[in-house]
Amino acid sequence: MNQLITSKIQKMKNIKNIDKIVFGQGSFKQLDQIIEPVRQENNQYFVFIVDDFFKGKELEKDLPLKAKDIVKFVYTGKDEPKTSQIDNLRDEILNSQGLPSGVVGIGGGSAMDIAKALSVMFAQKGSSTLYQGLNLAKNKGVYHLGIPTISGTGAECSTTAVLTGPEKKLGIKCEYTPFNQLILDPELTKTVPKDKWFYTGMDCYIHCVESSSGRLYNTFSKAYGDTALNLCREVYLGKSSGQTSENAEKLMVASLFGGLSLSYSEVGVCHALSYGLSYVFGTRHGLANCISFNVLEDYYPQGVKEFKQMLETHDISLPKDLAQTWSDEQITKMAEIAYALSHMWDHALGENWKELLTLDMIKDLFKRM
Ligand code: NAD
Ligand code: ZN
């Protein structure tokens, strides 16, 4: 039984939350009006970071652009956001027009994390690799606004912007990272292909399971996490499950609440393995989580059972027998990356996790994939 009393957590986090939220079908249209007052700041222009899927689509035409605004389409189909990408974008933009009034990030976890990281990095010196970690950025970044177009990661509300650098995949995590404003318009998610809808949505489901299965779990995390879990169940297992507009609303709220649940808890074993997979093979976060979670019945028996029902209901088949093609060196590297994520193991297994877990045990989990 989990201990829900918060005083058992030794040091309470002081969470920076999102300042403002608009929610509802069609709310994207309010973007112009929302950023208008901010346009007076700095050099009076906005940077729009937009997922490349929207190039040439309706949304591009609906961007409320003014003369000096810059639109950067980011291709997120292959790689997750990189430190070098952020550094280059920042330098290029600052050199051309100076400090912008703000950044708008439109897309999934990748585009939103790029917008978050960029907004922080506009105010820091040197490479973003110097700021991967907790509270390393010392100056307040520029205003930033997030508009998710695929639901599940919780990146819309988290205090971190996950970046892959030459040495590690780790977030810029500080109080300047969370968005000043969110526009949650579920209509924007209607074009998401089914496999991505499943994998990214499962990120939210897994966040809730991991958040609730560890020592940091508490009343705050439970309230958000239970709501998010129930919404995920309605979306993926309920009588009207599937990609309907009603479910698009539910999944968008679930994603937000799953993220808020985590803000006062932590991810666990699945995310530790998933980071290893993404680092070594570049596997996308949602898919990497699904591949990892699928072999974790020893750690999350109920969650994995339900996850398998969801896979079946939506006829999703995960890649099989991956480990057969992996070298021992690759498996060891993934296990080392996973082992290094001590905060996740500490949450999932307890403070004495090093007595309970060996590198070989992690390697065995990878070998089951
Ligand atoms: P993503 O942003 O990488 O996008 C996945 C794919 O979906 C892309 O091909 C994109 O073009 C497509 N897509 C997005 N919206 C679409 C739409 N409306 N219609 C059609 N296609 C659409 O995927 P994601 O799963 O949202 O994000 C993964 C990233 O988020 C990873 O980089 C991961 O590290 C990061 N992440 C961050 C946090 C955080 O707290 N900051 C949490 C979890 C994951
Ligand atoms: Zn995740």
Side-chain angles (χ1 to χ4, degrees):
M1 188 59 197
N2 280 301
Q3 172 59 269
L4 287 179
I5 308 295
T6 28
S7 61
K8 298 283 175 189
I9 301 172
Q10 284 178 345
K11 194 172 159 210
M12 315 299 179
K13 279 193 249 182
N14 190 2
I15 311 164
K16 171 71 174 69
N17 219 323
I18 313 142
D19 299 340
K20 289 181 150 192
I21 302 180
V22 178
F23 169 73
Q25 305 271 350
S27 53
F28 177 71
K29 294 192 187 77
Q30 288 171 236
L31 175 58
D32 191 15
Q33 182 198 333
I34 289 171
I35 60 175
E36 189 53 38
V38 189
R39 284 184 175 280
Q40 305 311 316
E41 290 177 21
N42 303 325
N43 290 296
Q44 306 189 344
Y45 77 99
F46 259 81
V47 177
F48 293 78
I49 301 293
V50 185
D51 189 288
D52 160 273
F53 167 82
F54 294 103
K55 203 169 189 171
K57 304 272 184 345
E58 204 65 27
L59 182 140
E60 183 185 355
K61 290 179 217 124
D62 292 342
L63 289 174
L65 300 181
K66 298 273 156 74
K68 284 169 68 189
D69 290 350
I70 294 177
V71 182
K72 292 279 177 196
F73 286 101
V74 288
Y75 176 62
T76 61
K78 197 168 161 282
D79 293 321
E80 296 192 334
K82 288 199 165 62
T83 49
S84 54
Q85 183 181 15
I86 302 299
D87 298 348
N88 292 339
L89 271 171
R90 176 199 57 186
D91 295 345
E92 185 197 320
I93 293 168
L94 286 181
N95 287 337
S96 69
Q97 292 188 185
L99 197 64
S101 313
V103 182
V104 176
I106 307 177
S110 300
M112 285 191 287
D113 275 0
I114 293 172
K116 286 159 80 177
L118 194 57
S119 122
V120 174
M121 286 308 299
F122 273 132
Q124 323 301 321
K125 290 204 160 54
S127 168
S128 51
T129 53
L130 300 171
Y131 305 95
Q132 283 177 285
L134 184 62
N135 292 333
L136 299 175
K138 297 298 173 211
N139 310 313
K140 184 173 184 280
V142 300
Y143 173 95
H144 49 308
L145 182 155
I147 308 182
T149 64
I150 179 168
S151 300
T153 62
E156 63 275 25
C157 68
S158 76
T159 54
T160 186
V162 184
L163 300 178
T164 301
E167 275 156 37
K168 55 194 170 205
K169 177 177 171 181
L170 191 66
I172 296 183
K173 194 175 170 89
C174 67
E175 77 167 83
Y176 311 123
T177 318
F179 284 114
N180 298 102
Q181 168 88 52
L182 282 183
I183 296 182
L184 300 178
D185 182 347
E187 214 171 283
L188 301 178
T189 65
K190 68 182 179 201
T191 47
V192 174
K194 186 178 164 193
D195 55 343
K196 290 176 182 169
W197 166 77
F198 188 86
Y199 299 142
T200 297
M202 282 303 113
D203 193 21
C204 172
Y205 176 78
I206 294 167
H207 287 161
C208 298
V209 173
E210 289 182 302
S211 163
S212 69
S213 317
R215 73 185 190 93
L216 297 179
Y217 193 46
N218 61 79
T219 312
F220 183 101
S221 295
K222 179 173 161 49
Y224 280 118
D226 282 357
T227 308
L229 259 184
N230 287 331
L231 288 167
C232 286
R233 288 182 180 127
E234 288 172 33
V235 171
Y236 290 101
L237 289 174
K239 273 199 219 94
S240 323
S241 78
Q243 282 181 282
T244 64
S245 347
E246 198 183 333
N247 285 340
E249 290 208 349
K250 288 180 181 173
L251 196 57
M252 196 162 262
V253 174
S255 176
L256 175 70
F257 279 26
L260 290 169
S261 173
L262 275 187
S263 69
Y264 231 108
S265 183
E266 194 38 90
V267 288
V269 183
C270 181
H271 273 70
L273 300 186
S274 158
Y275 271 42
L277 261 177
S278 294
Y279 193 88
V280 173
F281 294 109
T283 315
R284 313 299 314 215
H285 184 68
L287 176 59
N289 276 340
C290 288
I291 293 170
S292 304
F293 200 58
N294 203 36
V295 303
L296 289 177
E297 54 269 356
D298 294 348
Y299 293 89
Y300 307 109
Q302 266 312 109
V304 174
K305 192 172 157 210
E306 198 168 52
F307 167 73
K308 289 188 173 171
Q309 285 167 4
M310 292 176 181
L311 278 172
E312 202 182 305
T313 306
H314 297 287
D315 204 16
I316 303 283
S317 48
L318 296 174
K320 283 198 185 72
D321 301 328
L322 289 168
Q324 284 177 14
T325 62
W326 295 340
S327 67
D328 195 54
E329 202 187 356
Q330 287 171 322
I331 293 177
T332 305
K333 180 73 191 164
M334 287 192 285
E336 284 168 355
I337 300 249
Y339 189 86
L341 295 162
S342 52
H343 54 293
M344 301 183 190
W345 299 106
D346 178 303
H347 167 64
L349 306 182
E351 274 172 307
N352 61 338
W353 66 272
K354 284 190 175 162
E355 292 161 28
L356 305 170
L357 184 81
T358 62
L359 201 67
D360 279 340
M361 287 165 72
I362 307 181
K363 285 171 72 173
D364 282 341
L365 291 171
F366 280 111
K367 286 176 189 164
R368 288 191 209 169
M369 293 178 190

